[in-house]
Amino acid sequence: MPEQGRDRTDHLVALVRRHLDDDGNVLGVYAHGSATLGGLRPYSDLDLLAVVRHPTAHAQRAALTDALLKVSGGEGRRPVELIVVVHGDVRPWRYPPRREYLYGEWLRDAYERGAVPEPEDDPDLAPLLTMVLRADAPLYGPPPATLLDPVPHGDLRRAITAGVPELLAELESDTRNVLLTLARVWSTLGTGDIRSKDAAAKWALGRLPARDRPPLAHARAVYLGQETEDWRGRTVRSCADRLVREIRAAYGAGE
């Protein structure tokens, strides 16, 4: 990872180690997402995965969440998405994998009301761990392949399609991200590669009928900082439905 990228994350690595690294519990911290897929965009999060040796205590997760609330988002700060996994929960690989901890800005309201992330099974770890392995961007610890098993392609396909209904439920409240994520799911199913959101949208735009392109093109332009977000008069539902049909067809073709 470029040194300037490390500058953005050094404080986060230190924060993770301060709250979770009792007796050497933190085995590694890794960058993934936009920072490793073509560079951070105006709306990109700082995406980190931490691998720990032992499960965390409730008090540790609560303190870590309080600390992240102070450094994630807000004026001049990028949002942070931090996932923590216990080494033995992801190696050897099993489906669904188990997530120890999640911090994301979309959950801020719940955190500010006192909610503390709890361990749970999470199929979304399949694409995330795949990205971590491909990025090979350690911020602390050994290369990720030292700690993580590769995700079988069938489990990757299964995981990315499992989240489609939940995505559609958020279409009205998070339109840009939903359309871009649907395009990425389709792109991954069609190519076997996990691309950046803007690259996946470009791939999808070249394959969508002309009538369904404008909403996705707008989502991509907003993501790149080229346009101001405005969904008035745009046929968002039609575009989303078309993307879902393409996802189902691509998933079926790979069975």
Side-chain angles (χ1 to χ4, degrees):
M1 190 173 183
E3 287 306 313
Q4 62 269 31
R6 289 183 181 276
D7 292 344
R8 300 190 188 100
T9 55
D10 282 350
H11 69 295
L12 298 174
V13 174
L15 185 151
V16 169
R17 295 189 65 198
R18 182 162 64 251
H19 289 282
L20 302 184
D21 202 20
D22 51 316
D23 298 323
N25 196 35
V26 177
L27 299 176
V29 182
Y30 304 97
H32 63 94
S34 300
T36 63
L37 289 171
L40 292 168
R41 305 304 188 189
Y43 291 95
S44 296
D45 293 351
L46 292 174
D47 297 304
L48 274 67
L49 171 78
V51 182
V52 296
R53 192 185 310 274
H54 305 299
T56 58
H58 180 89
Q60 287 178 301
R61 297 193 300 276
L64 178 58
T65 302
D66 287 344
L68 285 166
L69 283 169
K70 297 178 175 67
V71 300
S72 174
E75 187 65 32
R77 297 193 300 262
R78 283 194 179 271
V80 175
E81 181 177 326
L82 171 66
I83 305 285
V84 180
V85 296
V86 176
H87 186 233
D89 286 342
V90 295
R91 190 173 205 178
W93 170 259
R94 79 290 307 266
Y95 188 92
R98 190 162 181 79
R99 183 187 73 220
E100 180 72 6
Y101 175 89
L102 164 67
Y103 180 93
E105 277 298 303
W106 66 94
L107 296 169
R108 173 175 280 271
D109 287 348
Y111 299 150
E112 289 180 337
R113 292 194 301 269
V116 176
E118 298 292 339
E120 61 180 87
D121 291 345
D122 183 5
D124 284 344
L125 281 177
L128 187 148
L129 296 180
T130 299
M131 285 192 288
V132 168
L133 286 164
R134 292 183 182 180
D136 193 18
L139 302 171
Y140 170 77
T146 306
L147 302 176
L148 304 173
D149 285 341
V151 177
H153 189 61
D155 284 347
L156 174 62
R157 292 170 57 86
R158 180 178 167 193
I160 61 176
T161 53
V164 168
E166 185 177 340
L167 266 177
L168 284 176
E170 299 172 358
L171 181 62
E172 186 173 336
S173 61
D174 194 13
T175 304
R176 168 175 46 83
N177 188 56
V178 170
L179 292 179
L180 292 173
T181 303
L182 289 172
R184 178 187 259 178
V185 171
W186 181 22
S187 169
T188 299
L189 291 172
T191 68
D193 190 23
I194 300 180
R195 306 178 181 205
S196 65
K197 287 180 178 178
D198 56 296
K202 183 177 180 180
W203 180 93
L205 286 167
R207 291 158 176 80
L208 283 174
R211 67 179 179 276
D212 292 323
R213 292 175 197 157
L216 181 59
H218 179 60
R220 182 175 184 269
V222 173
Y223 179 75
L224 293 173
Q226 298 170 348
E227 295 180 9
T228 301
E229 194 159 9
D230 183 358
W231 297 105
R232 291 173 296 181
R234 301 184 190 274
T235 55
V236 170
R237 175 56 66 173
S238 175
C239 176
D241 288 346
R242 180 67 188 219
L243 288 167
V244 171
R245 289 197 298 273
E246 296 291 354
I247 286 168
R248 289 173 177 161
Y251 185 68
E255 294 281 38

